[in-house]
Each structure stands twice: as C-alpha cells, then as structure tokens.
Amino acid sequence: MNPELIRVNKAYEKHIALIQLNRPKELNALNLQVMGEIRDTLMELDNDPEVRVIIITGNERAFAAGADIKQMAGKGAIDMLKIDQFSTWDQIRKTKKPIIAAVSGFALGGGCELVMTCDMVVAAESAQFGQPEIKIGVMPGAGGTQRLPRAVGKVKAMEMALTGNFISAEEALNWGLINKVVPNESYLSEAVRLAKDIAKQSPIAVQLAKESVLKAYEMPLQEALSFERKNFYMLFATQDQKEGMAAFVEKRKPSFKGE
Ligand code: DAK
C-alpha cells in the first residue's frame, strides 16, 4: 500500500480542516503527487459547507523543503511544459476559503511559495524560509519572484532569490512575510486559535473579504476599489449581515450560518 502523502482531517476542530504534508523522510518535498493531492483536497474542502478555514502544516523538522529535486533533476523544458504544474498551483491559488500555513522547520523553494500562496502564516521559532533554487541552477517558478517582493519588498526579495540564503522566523516576521512567531511547541495550536477567530465570522463575508484583499495584488487601485464595493454591497443580501448587525444592536453574540 502506498503511504499517505498528505493526511487530511476535515473536522480537526469545528469548521476547521487540517492538511498535513506527510513525506517526513524527504522533508515533505513537494512531488507532483503531493501537489495533486493538495489541489484535490483543497477543492473538496472548498465545497464542504462544514469547513470554514483550512490549515496546512508539515512536521517539526519541515513544512516543505521545496519541490522534489530528485523528480525534477532529469527533466527537460518540454517535459516541464507538458507536466504543466502551473495549472495545479493556479487551482490552489483559487481556493475560496482562507488557508493558514502552520510552519515549523524548513519552508524552502516551492515550500516557501506554498506558504506565500496561503493567506496567513504562523511559524515556530525554528522555522526557516528561503528560495534556494539559485543554488541548484534555477530560480523560483511558482510565484517566488512575484509574491516575495510584494511581501518583503524588492531588496530583500532580491537577496533571498539571488543568494538562496535562508531567513529565520524572526526575520520573516520583521520583513512582513508571516503573521506571528510562537514557541516551537505551539505553532499548530496558535494557527488553530487564529482559525477559530475566522471560523466564527460569517463564511460568506470571509470569502468575499479574502477575494477582495487578493485583488490588491492583481488590479489597479481604482478597479480594485470598485471590486471591493460590489462585494460589500453583496453582503447586504445575506442573512449573516442581518444577524451580525441585529446581534450588535441587541448586545449579544452573532450566530453566523453562511446564508
Ligand atoms: N527534494 C528532494 N529531496 C529532498 C529535498 C528536495 N527539495 N530536500 C531534502 N530532501 C531529502 C534529502 O535528499 C535527504 O534524502 P536522503 O538523502 O536521506 O535520501 C532528506 O530529504 C533529508 O535531507 P538532508 O539530509 O539534506 O537534511 P539536512 O538537514 O542536512 O538539510 C536542507 C536540510 C533542507 C537544508 C537540505 O535538504 C536542502 O538543501 N534541501 C533542498 C532545498 C532546496 O533546494 N529547495 C528548493 C528545491 S527547487 C514549479 C513549482 C515549484 C518549483 C518548481 C517548479 N512549477 C509550478 C513548474 C519549486 C522548485 C523548488 O522548490
């Protein structure tokens, strides 16, 4: 029997699903099968009304040490073109529900790019981030040269992409790559705490807010503001808006149903 490449718990906590990368011996190197399973699982979780937030994690030693170099080593340009991994990454990027990366140990190359594809990042003190592709004669290929400068600015992105040097969790925090650094033993529980804060909100409002924030990276400001406005109006068609505002007026906690 093939070992499970990823472990999925759809109800890790109420409304919170957990995906755990599970190739510990290979430091969770992201081979094509793993990426395909992540993509399929995210699509499934996106369609599951019980799930409101998704956490992706690895293990203590590695979130993911990058794409699987051994699988890529013998490939030519046309092999890479035919495999078309980009459609897998594009599909992952289209996930509507919020994704939190809970990172311990190495998050390198494609692993760092997967982190940046997530919406929020909680890291253990031990975490190390990097784009070391340059050291194996290539460069980031899944958004690293684009998402990194948007997160940390040009000069630091250049440093990471051109030297391949790793940065610590503390540096990643100071550079704006991640949300928080916590003691090694609590990176997952802190990610769950963040997920719970999101899971209690209206899932429709969360989805549209995520979509709107992402537009900041894709559209000129005026168009993005207009996009935001339409999502904002749309939320006034939900029961959750009625419930949220009524609860405020009645001085009670809202109960959002995603309707
Ligand atoms: N791929 C395959 N195997 C890996 C791996 C990787 N990325 N990283 C580690 N491993 C394997 C090692 O080969 C070793 O296996 P055995 O020799 O035991 O069989 C095992 O994991 C343990 O690793 P080490 O013995 O090296 O452990 P150390 O603690 O000494 O070192 C390390 C840890 C993380 C510093 C080192 O393993 C390392 O430098 N790993 C490679 C990091 C790296 O260069 N990452 C970037 C890979 S390129 C694309 C999308 C994405 C990408 C490309 C295309 N498209 C959409 C087209 C992404 C590319 C990349 O990520």
Side-chain angles (χ1 to χ4, degrees):
M1 210 171 77
N2 284 337
E4 288 174 298
L5 297 175
I6 64 171
R7 291 188 178 140
V8 182
N9 185 340
K10 284 190 186 185
Y12 185 67
E13 293 269 351
K14 191 171 181 216
H15 298 314
I16 299 170
L18 182 75
I19 299 177
Q20 185 183 23
L21 309 182
N22 188 35
R23 295 186 77 206
K25 278 200 217 121
E26 294 85 3
L27 305 185
N28 288 330
L30 301 167
N31 65 18
L32 295 174
Q33 292 78 358
V34 172
M35 290 310 300
E37 289 195 19
I38 295 173
R39 175 202 55 212
D40 294 348
T41 304
L42 288 173
M43 287 170 77
E44 197 183 318
L45 297 175
D46 235 2
N47 287 323
D48 183 335
E50 270 308 299
V51 174
R52 294 188 180 181
V53 185
I54 301 158
I55 298 174
I56 301 185
T57 196
N59 55 52
E60 275 165 37
R61 192 165 169 223
F63 177 79
D68 192 321
I69 300 171
K70 293 165 192 167
Q71 194 175 51
M72 280 187 299
K75 300 269 189 292
I78 302 303
D79 299 322
M80 294 301 277
L81 183 86
K82 283 187 180 158
I83 292 169
D84 187 23
Q85 261 209 76
F86 293 107
S87 59
T88 301
W89 284 79
D90 283 347
Q91 186 59 52
I92 290 172
R93 190 176 50 82
K94 286 183 193 151
T95 307
K96 297 189 195 86
K97 291 177 184 170
I99 309 176
I100 300 172
V103 179
S104 176
F106 299 111
L108 306 175
C112 191
E113 289 169 315
L114 183 58
V115 164
M116 289 189 281
T117 308
C118 295
D119 301 302
M120 282 153 280
V121 190
V122 175
E125 284 165 336
S126 70
Q128 294 188 71
F129 300 83
Q131 297 291 159
E133 292 90 338
I134 204 83
K135 294 184 175 172
I136 52 170
V138 288
M139 58 176 274
T145 66
Q146 302 308 305
R147 290 205 179 91
L148 205 51
R150 284 169 166 82
V152 306
K154 179 184 120 177
V155 294
K156 292 187 165 82
M158 283 288 185
E159 185 179 333
M160 288 177 76
L162 305 191
T163 67
N165 291 342
F166 305 164
I167 60 168
S168 66
E170 202 55 42
E171 281 170 309
L173 180 71
N174 294 335
W175 291 12
L177 188 61
I178 64 176
N179 295 72
K180 56 169 85 175
V181 181
V182 297
N184 289 342
E185 60 280 8
S186 44
Y187 69 99
L188 188 53
S189 57
E190 273 297 318
V192 169
R193 214 158 67 94
L194 183 59
K196 281 184 178 168
D197 282 348
I198 299 165
K200 64 186 177 211
Q201 315 303 337
S202 159
I204 307 176
V206 166
Q207 179 186 322
L208 296 191
K210 167 175 169 165
E211 188 184 36
S212 298
V213 171
L214 289 177
K215 290 294 177 212
Y217 295 96
E218 293 162 8
M219 280 179 164
L221 183 61
Q222 276 311 319
E223 278 176 52
L225 286 171
S226 149
F227 184 92
E228 177 196 67
R229 221 156 283 167
K230 283 174 190 140
N231 275 355
F232 177 75
Y233 290 146
M234 192 155 27
L235 290 173
F236 283 75
T238 64
Q239 284 305 313
D240 283 349
Q241 175 264 334
K242 308 284 175 278
E243 164 64 9
M245 294 193 181
F248 176 81
V249 174
E250 292 159 19
K251 298 189 187 296
R252 61 174 174 82
K253 281 197 176 149
S255 168
F256 294 121
K257 300 203 163 49
E259 293 166 357

